[in-house]
Amino acid sequence: MNRPGLILLLVASISGCESTPLSRSVGAPIVDGERETGERAVVLIQAVIGACTGTLITDRVVLTAKHCVQQQSAMSPAPPSFFSVGVGDRAGATTNHRVQQVVTTPGRFFIGDGTDIALLILREPVEGVEPITVRREVPTDLVGSTVTAIGFGTTREREVGIKYRTTATIENVTATVLEARDTICQGDSGGPIILEGDGTRPRQIVGVASYGLAANQGDCPAMLDAWNRVDTYLGLIDAAIVRSGACVATGEELCNSIDDDCDGETDEGCLALGEACERDDQCAFGRGAPRRRASERAVRRRGGDAPMHAPVRSALARRELQRDRAALRRRCDRGRWLLLRHERGLRGPLRPGVGGLGLAG
């Protein structure tokens, strides 16, 4: 994706050598790869501000890069009407879908700062396409691993808008990006690197194509490729999934009033409403018999096991009840909490408000 306003020039001073200019291109095709006619979850994002690559992570949510949806000098992304998501293997031959909402990290950004993540929520589900999920674990264990890169970017033969794939080796993982070499070019921005499944886990996205370093502006492939980490923005990604109406599978089912495994049932195997909890993991929010524990602590503070007078028990119960109610007001279900976290990025920090959580700003 060619966007001259987002080209940053770096100069590397090498001792005893002439300074060599480097170009950091934010329009980071898959170079020297093979033609990809399948992999329908990897889509072409067409916009007024350029073309990029993205990936369907649910039937309505596309993961891409922030610089694909927002100019660097802008405080917010372009409106949804600016974008179209095409399912297919080449520009001009895709089935296009309209965008309902653009979700990204708040404020301005600088390429390389680790905030190059965005999501497009589509108006309608994409049918007949198997989404690719994101990996939730920290990727520091992936150094030396082989991953698959897919994109619609410019090839060495200067083809543009045709889907290619290749493999790369993760050489380094920083706090913000995963690094490899000789892979991406303009138009691959927002495309995935995929850790293929091994029989014990599914294939998963571990990064989003962000930028490349090249000796000269426009050179392909880049000498150093960088994919923005996805594990650092799981809250943002989950919030977009919840907004689309989908479920976020976070693991095995827990007794927390949430459908953790996305099987359509909530808290299966847990105690029914009103039954007494014997262990923390049997009750929603893990609140097993809090008043009894508080009373026992109060007895110990008084110096023994002597029975308390009724007024003392009543006061302790009232205080414990007040704390319980305040805690429950602050503990929302996962969907509402994720949405509040997203709103924090748009409207200001979360702060305790009257009756629970409030939004500042």
Side-chain angles (χ1 to χ4, degrees), residues 183-219:
T183 304
I184 58 178
C185 195
Q186 284 81 10
D188 287 324
S189 286
I193 49 169
I194 301 168
L195 182 66
E196 299 294 344
D198 62 0
T200 63
R201 53 168 170 73
R203 59 203 309 252
Q204 297 173 316
I205 301 168
V206 296
V208 170
S210 181
Y211 65 88
L213 294 177
N216 300 290
Q217 182 174 318
D219 280 359

PDB file of all heavy atoms in Angstrom, residues 183-219:
ATOM      1  N   THR A 183      10.396 -10.767   3.533  1.00  0.00           N
ATOM      2  CA  THR A 183       9.069 -11.347   3.353  1.00  0.00           C
ATOM      3  C   THR A 183       8.039 -10.363   2.822  1.00  0.00           C
ATOM      4  O   THR A 183       7.349 -10.653   1.852  1.00  0.00           O
ATOM      5  CB  THR A 183       8.559 -11.942   4.679  1.00  0.00           C
ATOM      6  OG1 THR A 183       9.508 -12.898   5.147  1.00  0.00           O
ATOM      7  CG2 THR A 183       7.219 -12.628   4.490  1.00  0.00           C
ATOM      8  N   ILE A 184       7.906  -9.184   3.434  1.00  0.00           N
ATOM      9  CA  ILE A 184       6.765  -8.319   3.128  1.00  0.00           C
ATOM     10  C   ILE A 184       7.150  -7.092   2.316  1.00  0.00           C
ATOM     11  O   ILE A 184       8.312  -6.706   2.247  1.00  0.00           O
ATOM     12  CB  ILE A 184       6.042  -7.871   4.411  1.00  0.00           C
ATOM     13  CG1 ILE A 184       7.001  -7.138   5.355  1.00  0.00           C
ATOM     14  CG2 ILE A 184       5.418  -9.065   5.115  1.00  0.00           C
ATOM     15  CD1 ILE A 184       6.344  -6.629   6.625  1.00  0.00           C
ATOM     16  N   CYS A 185       6.117  -6.495   1.699  1.00  0.00           N
ATOM     17  CA  CYS A 185       6.294  -5.274   0.915  1.00  0.00           C
ATOM     18  C   CYS A 185       4.973  -4.503   0.922  1.00  0.00           C
ATOM     19  O   CYS A 185       4.025  -4.897   1.602  1.00  0.00           O
ATOM     20  CB  CYS A 185       6.729  -5.627  -0.504  1.00  0.00           C
ATOM     21  SG  CYS A 185       7.385  -4.224  -1.447  1.00  0.00           S
ATOM     22  N   GLN A 186       4.897  -3.393   0.164  1.00  0.00           N
ATOM     23  CA  GLN A 186       3.698  -2.560   0.153  1.00  0.00           C
ATOM     24  C   GLN A 186       2.466  -3.368  -0.231  1.00  0.00           C
ATOM     25  O   GLN A 186       2.460  -4.082  -1.221  1.00  0.00           O
ATOM     26  CB  GLN A 186       3.857  -1.390  -0.834  1.00  0.00           C
ATOM     27  CG  GLN A 186       4.742  -0.269  -0.343  1.00  0.00           C
ATOM     28  CD  GLN A 186       6.208  -0.563  -0.526  1.00  0.00           C
ATOM     29  OE1 GLN A 186       6.556  -1.537  -1.187  1.00  0.00           O
ATOM     30  NE2 GLN A 186       7.058   0.262   0.043  1.00  0.00           N
ATOM     31  N   GLY A 187       1.408  -3.240   0.570  1.00  0.00           N
ATOM     32  CA  GLY A 187       0.152  -3.940   0.315  1.00  0.00           C
ATOM     33  C   GLY A 187      -0.084  -5.128   1.220  1.00  0.00           C
ATOM     34  O   GLY A 187      -1.204  -5.621   1.338  1.00  0.00           O
ATOM     35  N   ASP A 188       0.991  -5.630   1.873  1.00  0.00           N
ATOM     36  CA  ASP A 188       0.830  -6.732   2.816  1.00  0.00           C
ATOM     37  C   ASP A 188       0.426  -6.247   4.202  1.00  0.00           C
ATOM     38  O   ASP A 188       0.124  -7.065   5.084  1.00  0.00           O
ATOM     39  CB  ASP A 188       2.136  -7.522   2.947  1.00  0.00           C
ATOM     40  CG  ASP A 188       2.413  -8.370   1.720  1.00  0.00           C
ATOM     41  OD1 ASP A 188       1.452  -8.888   1.147  1.00  0.00           O
ATOM     42  OD2 ASP A 188       3.576  -8.477   1.316  1.00  0.00           O
ATOM     43  N   SER A 189       0.428  -4.943   4.404  1.00  0.00           N
ATOM     44  CA  SER A 189       0.087  -4.393   5.720  1.00  0.00           C
ATOM     45  C   SER A 189      -1.220  -4.952   6.243  1.00  0.00           C
ATOM     46  O   SER A 189      -2.207  -5.058   5.515  1.00  0.00           O
ATOM     47  CB  SER A 189      -0.031  -2.872   5.622  1.00  0.00           C
ATOM     48  OG  SER A 189       1.212  -2.283   5.503  1.00  0.00           O
ATOM     49  N   GLY A 190      -1.226  -5.305   7.505  1.00  0.00           N
ATOM     50  CA  GLY A 190      -2.426  -5.835   8.137  1.00  0.00           C
ATOM     51  C   GLY A 190      -2.598  -7.326   7.959  1.00  0.00           C
ATOM     52  O   GLY A 190      -3.462  -7.932   8.596  1.00  0.00           O
ATOM     53  N   GLY A 191      -1.780  -7.930   7.083  1.00  0.00           N
ATOM     54  CA  GLY A 191      -1.891  -9.371   6.849  1.00  0.00           C
ATOM     55  C   GLY A 191      -1.330 -10.174   8.008  1.00  0.00           C
ATOM     56  O   GLY A 191      -0.566  -9.673   8.832  1.00  0.00           O
ATOM     57  N   PRO A 192      -1.673 -11.453   8.072  1.00  0.00           N
ATOM     58  CA  PRO A 192      -1.290 -12.263   9.227  1.00  0.00           C
ATOM     59  C   PRO A 192       0.028 -13.006   9.039  1.00  0.00           C
ATOM     60  O   PRO A 192       0.460 -13.287   7.921  1.00  0.00           O
ATOM     61  CB  PRO A 192      -2.429 -13.279   9.301  1.00  0.00           C
ATOM     62  CG  PRO A 192      -2.745 -13.535   7.839  1.00  0.00           C
ATOM     63  CD  PRO A 192      -2.560 -12.186   7.156  1.00  0.00           C
ATOM     64  N   ILE A 193       0.672 -13.303  10.155  1.00  0.00           N
ATOM     65  CA  ILE A 193       1.588 -14.430  10.190  1.00  0.00           C
ATOM     66  C   ILE A 193       0.906 -15.481  11.053  1.00  0.00           C
ATOM     67  O   ILE A 193       0.383 -15.187  12.137  1.00  0.00           O
ATOM     68  CB  ILE A 193       2.997 -14.071  10.720  1.00  0.00           C
ATOM     69  CG1 ILE A 193       2.941 -13.281  12.015  1.00  0.00           C
ATOM     70  CG2 ILE A 193       3.819 -13.405   9.666  1.00  0.00           C
ATOM     71  CD1 ILE A 193       4.298 -13.152  12.666  1.00  0.00           C
ATOM     72  N   ILE A 194       0.909 -16.698  10.543  1.00  0.00           N
ATOM     73  CA  ILE A 194       0.113 -17.770  11.121  1.00  0.00           C
ATOM     74  C   ILE A 194       1.026 -18.878  11.626  1.00  0.00           C
ATOM     75  O   ILE A 194       1.897 -19.361  10.895  1.00  0.00           O
ATOM     76  CB  ILE A 194      -0.864 -18.337  10.074  1.00  0.00           C
ATOM     77  CG1 ILE A 194      -1.787 -17.222   9.556  1.00  0.00           C
ATOM     78  CG2 ILE A 194      -1.682 -19.473  10.662  1.00  0.00           C
ATOM     79  CD1 ILE A 194      -2.588 -17.618   8.323  1.00  0.00           C
ATOM     80  N   LEU A 195       0.834 -19.245  12.873  1.00  0.00           N
ATOM     81  CA  LEU A 195       1.504 -20.410  13.431  1.00  0.00           C
ATOM     82  C   LEU A 195       0.624 -21.612  13.101  1.00  0.00           C
ATOM     83  O   LEU A 195      -0.504 -21.719  13.578  1.00  0.00           O
ATOM     84  CB  LEU A 195       1.668 -20.258  14.944  1.00  0.00           C
ATOM     85  CG  LEU A 195       2.392 -21.394  15.664  1.00  0.00           C
ATOM     86  CD1 LEU A 195       3.849 -21.469  15.219  1.00  0.00           C
ATOM     87  CD2 LEU A 195       2.313 -21.205  17.173  1.00  0.00           C
ATOM     88  N   GLU A 196       1.144 -22.495  12.246  1.00  0.00           N
ATOM     89  CA  GLU A 196       0.342 -23.623  11.792  1.00  0.00           C
ATOM     90  C   GLU A 196       0.077 -24.595  12.936  1.00  0.00           C
ATOM     91  O   GLU A 196       0.876 -24.716  13.869  1.00  0.00           O
ATOM     92  CB  GLU A 196       1.035 -24.340  10.634  1.00  0.00           C
ATOM     93  CG  GLU A 196       1.247 -23.469   9.396  1.00  0.00           C
ATOM     94  CD  GLU A 196      -0.052 -23.066   8.717  1.00  0.00           C
ATOM     95  OE1 GLU A 196      -1.098 -23.692   9.012  1.00  0.00           O
ATOM     96  OE2 GLU A 196      -0.031 -22.142   7.884  1.00  0.00           O
ATOM     97  N   GLY A 197      -1.044 -25.309  12.858  1.00  0.00           N
ATOM     98  CA  GLY A 197      -1.399 -26.266  13.883  1.00  0.00           C
ATOM     99  C   GLY A 197      -0.494 -27.489  13.858  1.00  0.00           C
ATOM    100  O   GLY A 197       0.112 -27.816  12.825  1.00  0.00           O
ATOM    101  N   ASP A 198      -0.402 -28.165  14.999  1.00  0.00           N
ATOM    102  CA  ASP A 198       0.470 -29.335  15.105  1.00  0.00           C
ATOM    103  C   ASP A 198      -0.274 -30.578  15.557  1.00  0.00           C
ATOM    104  O   ASP A 198       0.337 -31.565  15.968  1.00  0.00           O
ATOM    105  CB  ASP A 198       1.623 -29.047  16.069  1.00  0.00           C
ATOM    106  CG  ASP A 198       1.144 -28.749  17.487  1.00  0.00           C
ATOM    107  OD1 ASP A 198      -0.093 -28.773  17.717  1.00  0.00           O
ATOM    108  OD2 ASP A 198       1.998 -28.504  18.359  1.00  0.00           O
ATOM    109  N   GLY A 199      -1.596 -30.538  15.458  1.00  0.00           N
ATOM    110  CA  GLY A 199      -2.392 -31.675  15.907  1.00  0.00           C
ATOM    111  C   GLY A 199      -2.911 -31.522  17.314  1.00  0.00           C
ATOM    112  O   GLY A 199      -3.939 -32.108  17.674  1.00  0.00           O
ATOM    113  N   THR A 200      -2.218 -30.731  18.132  1.00  0.00           N
ATOM    114  CA  THR A 200      -2.670 -30.492  19.502  1.00  0.00           C
ATOM    115  C   THR A 200      -3.312 -29.125  19.655  1.00  0.00           C
ATOM    116  O   THR A 200      -3.950 -28.849  20.658  1.00  0.00           O
ATOM    117  CB  THR A 200      -1.494 -30.603  20.491  1.00  0.00           C
ATOM    118  OG1 THR A 200      -0.521 -29.583  20.193  1.00  0.00           O
ATOM    119  CG2 THR A 200      -0.844 -31.969  20.385  1.00  0.00           C
ATOM    120  N   ARG A 201      -3.119 -28.257  18.695  1.00  0.00           N
ATOM    121  CA  ARG A 201      -3.707 -26.913  18.732  1.00  0.00           C
ATOM    122  C   ARG A 201      -4.037 -26.494  17.302  1.00  0.00           C
ATOM    123  O   ARG A 201      -3.435 -26.973  16.342  1.00  0.00           O
ATOM    124  CB  ARG A 201      -2.733 -25.903  19.352  1.00  0.00           C
ATOM    125  CG  ARG A 201      -1.377 -25.924  18.680  1.00  0.00           C
ATOM    126  CD  ARG A 201      -0.502 -24.753  19.074  1.00  0.00           C
ATOM    127  NE  ARG A 201       0.857 -24.918  18.598  1.00  0.00           N
ATOM    128  CZ  ARG A 201       1.227 -24.791  17.333  1.00  0.00           C
ATOM    129  NH1 ARG A 201       0.333 -24.491  16.428  1.00  0.00           N
ATOM    130  NH2 ARG A 201       2.486 -24.961  16.968  1.00  0.00           N
ATOM    131  N   PRO A 202      -5.010 -25.582  17.134  1.00  0.00           N
ATOM    132  CA  PRO A 202      -5.355 -25.110  15.796  1.00  0.00           C
ATOM    133  C   PRO A 202      -4.326 -24.101  15.289  1.00  0.00           C
ATOM    134  O   PRO A 202      -3.491 -23.600  16.050  1.00  0.00           O
ATOM    135  CB  PRO A 202      -6.713 -24.433  16.022  1.00  0.00           C
ATOM    136  CG  PRO A 202      -6.645 -23.958  17.443  1.00  0.00           C
ATOM    137  CD  PRO A 202      -5.864 -24.999  18.185  1.00  0.00           C
ATOM    138  N   ARG A 203      -4.354 -23.820  13.989  1.00  0.00           N
ATOM    139  CA  ARG A 203      -3.510 -22.753  13.460  1.00  0.00           C
ATOM    140  C   ARG A 203      -4.012 -21.415  13.987  1.00  0.00           C
ATOM    141  O   ARG A 203      -5.222 -21.189  14.119  1.00  0.00           O
ATOM    142  CB  ARG A 203      -3.502 -22.789  11.929  1.00  0.00           C
ATOM    143  CG  ARG A 203      -4.848 -22.630  11.287  1.00  0.00           C
ATOM    144  CD  ARG A 203      -4.878 -23.210   9.874  1.00  0.00           C
ATOM    145  NE  ARG A 203      -3.797 -22.721   9.049  1.00  0.00           N
ATOM    146  CZ  ARG A 203      -3.951 -21.864   8.041  1.00  0.00           C
ATOM    147  NH1 ARG A 203      -5.156 -21.398   7.753  1.00  0.00           N
ATOM    148  NH2 ARG A 203      -2.925 -21.491   7.314  1.00  0.00           N
ATOM    149  N   GLN A 204      -3.101 -20.506  14.304  1.00  0.00           N
ATOM    150  CA  GLN A 204      -3.471 -19.251  14.963  1.00  0.00           C
ATOM    151  C   GLN A 204      -2.640 -18.094  14.442  1.00  0.00           C
ATOM    152  O   GLN A 204      -1.475 -18.256  14.053  1.00  0.00           O
ATOM    153  CB  GLN A 204      -3.264 -19.390  16.482  1.00  0.00           C
ATOM    154  CG  GLN A 204      -4.140 -20.435  17.133  1.00  0.00           C
ATOM    155  CD  GLN A 204      -3.791 -20.648  18.594  1.00  0.00           C
ATOM    156  OE1 GLN A 204      -2.619 -20.739  18.958  1.00  0.00           O
ATOM    157  NE2 GLN A 204      -4.805 -20.715  19.447  1.00  0.00           N
ATOM    158  N   ILE A 205      -3.233 -16.904  14.481  1.00  0.00           N
ATOM    159  CA  ILE A 205      -2.533 -15.674  14.098  1.00  0.00           C
ATOM    160  C   ILE A 205      -1.688 -15.205  15.279  1.00  0.00           C
ATOM    161  O   ILE A 205      -2.191 -15.092  16.404  1.00  0.00           O
ATOM    162  CB  ILE A 205      -3.531 -14.578  13.711  1.00  0.00           C
ATOM    163  CG1 ILE A 205      -4.401 -15.021  12.539  1.00  0.00           C
ATOM    164  CG2 ILE A 205      -2.801 -13.272  13.362  1.00  0.00           C
ATOM    165  CD1 ILE A 205      -5.587 -14.117  12.284  1.00  0.00           C
ATOM    166  N   VAL A 206      -0.421 -14.901  15.021  1.00  0.00           N
ATOM    167  CA  VAL A 206       0.445 -14.414  16.102  1.00  0.00           C
ATOM    168  C   VAL A 206       0.896 -12.972  15.875  1.00  0.00           C
ATOM    169  O   VAL A 206       1.439 -12.341  16.780  1.00  0.00           O
ATOM    170  CB  VAL A 206       1.677 -15.324  16.288  1.00  0.00           C
ATOM    171  CG1 VAL A 206       1.241 -16.706  16.730  1.00  0.00           C
ATOM    172  CG2 VAL A 206       2.509 -15.417  15.009  1.00  0.00           C
ATOM    173  N   GLY A 207       0.679 -12.437  14.659  1.00  0.00           N
ATOM    174  CA  GLY A 207       1.101 -11.065  14.398  1.00  0.00           C
ATOM    175  C   GLY A 207       0.414 -10.496  13.174  1.00  0.00           C
ATOM    176  O   GLY A 207      -0.151 -11.229  12.349  1.00  0.00           O
ATOM    177  N   VAL A 208       0.460  -9.156  13.067  1.00  0.00           N
ATOM    178  CA  VAL A 208      -0.143  -8.410  11.955  1.00  0.00           C
ATOM    179  C   VAL A 208       0.961  -7.606  11.269  1.00  0.00           C
ATOM    180  O   VAL A 208       1.701  -6.872  11.940  1.00  0.00           O
ATOM    181  CB  VAL A 208      -1.249  -7.472  12.475  1.00  0.00           C
ATOM    182  CG1 VAL A 208      -1.716  -6.522  11.390  1.00  0.00           C
ATOM    183  CG2 VAL A 208      -2.420  -8.277  13.009  1.00  0.00           C
ATOM    184  N   ALA A 209       1.086  -7.735   9.940  1.00  0.00           N
ATOM    185  CA  ALA A 209       2.150  -7.048   9.205  1.00  0.00           C
ATOM    186  C   ALA A 209       2.074  -5.542   9.427  1.00  0.00           C
ATOM    187  O   ALA A 209       1.052  -4.916   9.168  1.00  0.00           O
ATOM    188  CB  ALA A 209       2.060  -7.369   7.714  1.00  0.00           C
ATOM    189  N   SER A 210       3.178  -4.964   9.925  1.00  0.00           N
ATOM    190  CA  SER A 210       3.187  -3.557  10.309  1.00  0.00           C
ATOM    191  C   SER A 210       4.127  -2.716   9.442  1.00  0.00           C
ATOM    192  O   SER A 210       3.711  -1.744   8.837  1.00  0.00           O
ATOM    193  CB  SER A 210       3.569  -3.412  11.784  1.00  0.00           C
ATOM    194  OG  SER A 210       3.566  -2.075  12.199  1.00  0.00           O
ATOM    195  N   TYR A 211       5.405  -3.070   9.390  1.00  0.00           N
ATOM    196  CA  TYR A 211       6.352  -2.283   8.596  1.00  0.00           C
ATOM    197  C   TYR A 211       7.552  -3.140   8.218  1.00  0.00           C
ATOM    198  O   TYR A 211       7.762  -4.238   8.735  1.00  0.00           O
ATOM    199  CB  TYR A 211       6.810  -1.037   9.355  1.00  0.00           C
ATOM    200  CG  TYR A 211       7.616  -1.318  10.605  1.00  0.00           C
ATOM    201  CD1 TYR A 211       9.002  -1.469  10.558  1.00  0.00           C
ATOM    202  CD2 TYR A 211       6.992  -1.414  11.848  1.00  0.00           C
ATOM    203  CE1 TYR A 211       9.742  -1.722  11.706  1.00  0.00           C
ATOM    204  CE2 TYR A 211       7.719  -1.671  13.000  1.00  0.00           C
ATOM    205  CZ  TYR A 211       9.086  -1.826  12.917  1.00  0.00           C
ATOM    206  OH  TYR A 211       9.811  -2.082  14.054  1.00  0.00           O
ATOM    207  N   GLY A 212       8.355  -2.593   7.279  1.00  0.00           N
ATOM    208  CA  GLY A 212       9.594  -3.255   6.888  1.00  0.00           C
ATOM    209  C   GLY A 212      10.698  -2.227   6.767  1.00  0.00           C
ATOM    210  O   GLY A 212      10.455  -1.053   6.488  1.00  0.00           O
ATOM    211  N   LEU A 213      11.916  -2.656   7.003  1.00  0.00           N
ATOM    212  CA  LEU A 213      13.091  -1.801   6.834  1.00  0.00           C
ATOM    213  C   LEU A 213      13.809  -2.212   5.555  1.00  0.00           C
ATOM    214  O   LEU A 213      14.143  -3.380   5.378  1.00  0.00           O
ATOM    215  CB  LEU A 213      14.036  -1.935   8.031  1.00  0.00           C
ATOM    216  CG  LEU A 213      13.525  -1.423   9.375  1.00  0.00           C
ATOM    217  CD1 LEU A 213      14.544  -1.703  10.469  1.00  0.00           C
ATOM    218  CD2 LEU A 213      13.234   0.067   9.300  1.00  0.00           C
ATOM    219  N   ALA A 214      14.058  -1.234   4.653  1.00  0.00           N
ATOM    220  CA  ALA A 214      14.707  -1.510   3.374  1.00  0.00           C
ATOM    221  C   ALA A 214      15.834  -0.516   3.142  1.00  0.00           C
ATOM    222  O   ALA A 214      15.844   0.592   3.691  1.00  0.00           O
ATOM    223  CB  ALA A 214      13.692  -1.438   2.234  1.00  0.00           C
ATOM    224  N   ALA A 215      16.809  -0.904   2.326  1.00  0.00           N
ATOM    225  CA  ALA A 215      17.940  -0.021   2.040  1.00  0.00           C
ATOM    226  C   ALA A 215      17.489   1.214   1.292  1.00  0.00           C
ATOM    227  O   ALA A 215      18.015   2.302   1.489  1.00  0.00           O
ATOM    228  CB  ALA A 215      18.994  -0.774   1.243  1.00  0.00           C
ATOM    229  N   ASN A 216      16.492   1.068   0.434  1.00  0.00           N
ATOM    230  CA  ASN A 216      15.959   2.192  -0.330  1.00  0.00           C
ATOM    231  C   ASN A 216      14.446   2.144  -0.301  1.00  0.00           C
ATOM    232  O   ASN A 216      13.845   1.065  -0.291  1.00  0.00           O
ATOM    233  CB  ASN A 216      16.438   2.137  -1.786  1.00  0.00           C
ATOM    234  CG  ASN A 216      17.946   2.202  -1.905  1.00  0.00           C
ATOM    235  OD1 ASN A 216      18.557   3.230  -1.653  1.00  0.00           O
ATOM    236  ND2 ASN A 216      18.546   1.070  -2.289  1.00  0.00           N
ATOM    237  N   GLN A 217      13.857   3.317  -0.308  1.00  0.00           N
ATOM    238  CA  GLN A 217      12.400   3.395  -0.276  1.00  0.00           C
ATOM    239  C   GLN A 217      11.809   2.631  -1.452  1.00  0.00           C
ATOM    240  O   GLN A 217      12.200   2.809  -2.596  1.00  0.00           O
ATOM    241  CB  GLN A 217      11.962   4.857  -0.321  1.00  0.00           C
ATOM    242  CG  GLN A 217      10.450   5.033  -0.236  1.00  0.00           C
ATOM    243  CD  GLN A 217      10.080   6.501  -0.137  1.00  0.00           C
ATOM    244  OE1 GLN A 217      10.711   7.265   0.573  1.00  0.00           O
ATOM    245  NE2 GLN A 217       9.053   6.885  -0.864  1.00  0.00           N
ATOM    246  N   GLY A 218      10.847   1.754  -1.166  1.00  0.00           N
ATOM    247  CA  GLY A 218      10.186   1.001  -2.215  1.00  0.00           C
ATOM    248  C   GLY A 218      10.828  -0.331  -2.525  1.00  0.00           C
ATOM    249  O   GLY A 218      10.283  -1.111  -3.306  1.00  0.00           O
ATOM    250  N   ASP A 219      12.019  -0.606  -1.957  1.00  0.00           N
ATOM    251  CA  ASP A 219      12.666  -1.893  -2.194  1.00  0.00           C
ATOM    252  C   ASP A 219      11.818  -3.030  -1.643  1.00  0.00           C
ATOM    253  O   ASP A 219      11.247  -2.938  -0.555  1.00  0.00           O
ATOM    254  CB  ASP A 219      14.040  -1.940  -1.525  1.00  0.00           C
ATOM    255  CG  ASP A 219      15.105  -1.228  -2.345  1.00  0.00           C
ATOM    256  OD1 ASP A 219      14.769  -0.721  -3.432  1.00  0.00           O
ATOM    257  OD2 ASP A 219      16.261  -1.178  -1.883  1.00  0.00           O
TER     258      ASP A 219
END
